[in-house]
Amino acid sequence: MELSEPDASGRRRPVEIKGSEFLLPADVVIIGVGTTANPLVQGSTPGLETTPRNYIVADPETLRTSKRGVFAGGDIVTGGATVILAMGAGRKAAASIHAFLTSGEWEKAGNRE
Ligand SMILES: Cc1cc2nc3c(=O)[nH]c(=O)nc-3n(C[C@H](O)[C@H](O)[C@H](O)COP(=O)(O)OP(=O)(O)OC[C@H]3O[C@@H](n4cnc5c(N)ncnc54)[C@H](O)[C@@H]3O)c2cc1C
C-alpha cells in the first residue's frame, strides 16, 4: 500500500501498489493483538472498583475511580474503542486531575506537596 496524492479534503488515502503482494512461508502464525483488559493494576489495587469483565469503573465526566486520587480512561474503562475516544478521555482526566490537585482536596486527604 502507499498513500495517494491528497484528495479535495487534503486527506491522503492508502491505495494498493499493484503486484506488490508476496507469500511468506511460515509453519505457525501467531496474532499478538490485545483486545481485553490487562488485569495487573486491577488485581494489585485494593478498593479499585471493576466490572465483571475486569474493566475499571470511572465516572464518565470526571474519570474518577472508586479510589481517591486515581483516575482512569480509554480502553481500560470503555473496553476496546478508538484512539479519538482515548485521547478525549486523556484530556478530561488531565483537567480532572488538575482540579483535584489545585482545589485543596489533595491536601485535605492528608497528603503533603
Ligand atoms: C489491532 C487493533 C487495531 C486498532 N485500530 C484502530 C484504528 O484504526 N483506529 C482507532 O481509532 N483505534 C484503533 N484501535 C483501538 C485503539 O488502539 C485503542 O482504542 C487505543 O489505543 C486506546 O488507548 P488507551 O491509551 O486507552 O490504551 P492503550 O493504547 O492500550 O495504552 C495502554 C498502555 O498501558 C500500558 N500498560 C498496561 N498495563 C500496564 C501496567 N500494569 N503498567 C504500566 N503500563 C501498563 C500498555 O502497555 C499500553 O502501552 C485498534 C486496536 C487494536 C487492538
Side-chain angles (χ1 to χ4, degrees):
M1 303 293 282
E2 65 182 350
L3 289 175
S4 68
E5 291 303 313
D7 63 16
S9 72
R11 181 170 179 201
R12 302 179 69 194
R13 294 178 186 281
V15 292
E16 179 189 351
I17 302 174
K18 293 261 186 247
S20 66
E21 62 278 5
F22 59 90
L23 295 176
L24 185 66
D27 295 323
V28 178
V29 175
I30 299 171
I31 300 175
V33 176
T35 53
T36 55
N38 178 329
L40 197 59
V41 170
Q42 303 89 317
S44 58
T45 313
L48 187 64
E49 188 186 351
T50 56
T51 70
R53 298 185 68 193
N54 222 12
Y55 292 107
I56 296 173
V57 175
D59 181 282
E61 290 310 315
T62 64
L63 301 189
R64 284 173 179 245
T65 67
S66 57
K67 213 166 163 66
R68 180 188 290 272
V70 177
F71 300 75
D75 281 10
I76 197 59
V77 170
T78 57
T82 66
V83 171
I84 293 290
L85 283 175
M87 289 169 66
R91 289 176 67 96
K92 267 190 188 175
S96 207
I97 292 166
H98 180 75
F100 176 74
L101 293 174
T102 56
S103 65
E105 191 179 346
W106 168 251
E107 286 81 6
K108 272 187 241 151
N111 300 295
R112 286 184 282 158
E113 285 180 39

